[in-house]
């Protein structure tokens, strides 16, 4: 299973989280977020990471040229579109960035929102399901309704996100069978300042489950 830890800013924290077993790290390229990172900060983190770690830039309603500039200049392996991007927009980004994983994040309120994920299947590599919050796009710490996800089998691999923590990850994975998980505030001391003890506890929980 893929394990993505999002909202990384500090190079040493990024390295430690990768050493713990994360398969992907996420960088928030959304200026209004308290986890925002500049291109230069991403470059410093990426320089410390092994090549097998996926490096994902998170954007929201950004210009495709800006997305491509950051992706190409920081060796990102993927971009996560976390705003109101349309399937057509995802297709455009995929054409501009061939060879880069395109992840579409969708904020799920109900079964209708879940059904809407099918409109993206042909235009993205991966889906990410996050909780809905009326004011914030992501990193909210809110969980979505796992009950409606029990039978969710989209035509693309998918990440479960939204309010996951070392304390609830086992319950989430008992109900839901995603291809990956994504955590941010559940393993933080403060926005973009990751708590390495919580990260270690997360991996302990995941190891216990896989035994
Ligand atoms: O984390 C942010 O601040 C953020 C801001 C704007 C768009 C997306 C953002 N985060 C995207 C992520 O992938 C988070 O990991 C995801 O929302 C889950 O966050 P959390 O509920 O805190 O685990």
């Amino acid at each position: 299973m893929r394990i993505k830890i999002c909202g990384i800013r500090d190079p040493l924290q990024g390295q430690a989280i990768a050493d713990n077993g994360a398969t992907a790290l996420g960088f928030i390229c959304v200026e209004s977020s308290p986890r925002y990172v500049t291109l230069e900060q991403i470059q410093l983190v990426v320089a410390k990471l092994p090549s097998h770690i996926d490096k994902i830039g998170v954007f929201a309603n950004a210009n495709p040229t800006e997305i491509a500039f950051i992706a190409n200049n920081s060796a990102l392996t993927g971009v996560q579109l976390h705003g109101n991007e349309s399937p057509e927009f995802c297709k455009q980004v995929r054409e501009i960035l061939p060879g880069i994983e395109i992840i579409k994040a969708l904020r799920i309120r109900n079964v209708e929102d879940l059904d809407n994920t099918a409109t993206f299947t042909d235009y993205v590599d991966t889906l990410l399901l996050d909780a809905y919050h009326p004011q914030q796009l992501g990193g909210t710490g809110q969980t979505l309704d796992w009950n409606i996800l029990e039978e969710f089998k989209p035509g693309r691999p998918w990440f479960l996100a939204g309010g996951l923590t070392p304390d609830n990850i086992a319950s989430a994975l008992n109900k839901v069978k995603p291809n990956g998980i994504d955590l941010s505030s559940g393993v933080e001391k403060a926005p973009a300042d990751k708590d390495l003890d919580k990260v270690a506890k997360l991996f302990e929980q995941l190891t216990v489950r896989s035994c």
Side-chain angles (χ1 to χ4, degrees):
M1 188 175 59
R2 298 177 73 183
I3 302 160
K4 172 168 167 275
I5 305 294
C6 216
I8 305 293
R9 186 182 288 149
D10 180 90
L12 293 179
Q13 287 184 359
Q15 197 178 19
I17 292 167
D19 289 346
N20 261 273
T23 67
L25 299 186
F27 306 101
I28 306 296
C29 304
V30 181
E31 281 190 38
S32 58
S33 167
R35 300 179 183 84
Y36 173 68
V37 275
T38 62
L39 171 60
E40 291 71 25
Q41 286 171 317
I42 300 173
Q43 289 167 337
L44 291 173
V45 181
V46 168
K48 294 230 171 270
L49 295 176
S51 57
H52 69 270
I53 300 290
D54 298 327
K55 293 114 188 157
I56 312 292
V58 179
F59 299 85
N61 306 320
N63 181 311
T65 313
E66 180 203 339
I67 297 174
F69 182 80
I70 294 179
N72 290 330
N73 286 286
S74 56
L76 294 182
T77 61
V79 297
Q80 179 175 320
L81 304 174
H82 213 101
N84 301 318
E85 298 86 1
S86 64
E88 181 56 37
F89 183 92
C90 296
K91 182 173 177 235
Q92 200 186 337
V93 174
R94 204 183 210 184
E95 284 162 5
I96 294 175
L97 288 171
I100 292 239
E101 180 181 16
I102 308 295
I103 304 174
K104 178 66 187 115
L106 292 146
R107 298 178 299 137
I108 305 296
R109 282 166 295 194
N110 49 39
V111 176
E112 287 71 41
D113 288 343
L114 207 52
D115 291 343
N116 181 48
T117 61
T119 60
F120 290 89
T121 307
D122 290 342
Y123 307 110
V124 304
D125 300 292
T126 310
L127 296 166
L128 181 146
L129 303 195
D130 202 356
Y132 179 84
H133 184 288
Q135 277 91 38
Q136 287 167 248
L137 289 173
T140 67
Q142 294 202 351
T143 51
L144 50 88
D145 181 1
W146 301 330
N147 293 316
I148 63 170
L149 296 176
E150 281 186 65
E151 302 301 323
F152 183 60
K153 289 188 186 64
R156 285 280 177 262
W158 67 286
F159 281 95
L160 175 66
L164 297 174
T165 70
D167 294 326
N168 70 13
I169 195 67
S171 311
L173 295 177
N174 281 339
K175 272 201 176 247
V176 183
K177 303 293 171 219
N179 303 93
I181 53 172
D182 170 277
L183 294 87
S184 185
S185 58
V187 287
E188 263 179 358
K189 287 187 261 192
D193 182 9
K194 296 302 173 196
D195 184 328
L196 297 181
D197 291 335
K198 288 184 184 168
V199 172
K201 193 172 166 196
L202 170 76
F203 283 97
E204 274 165 33
Q205 289 296 316
L206 294 169
T207 308
V208 168
R209 271 187 58 80
S210 65
C211 289

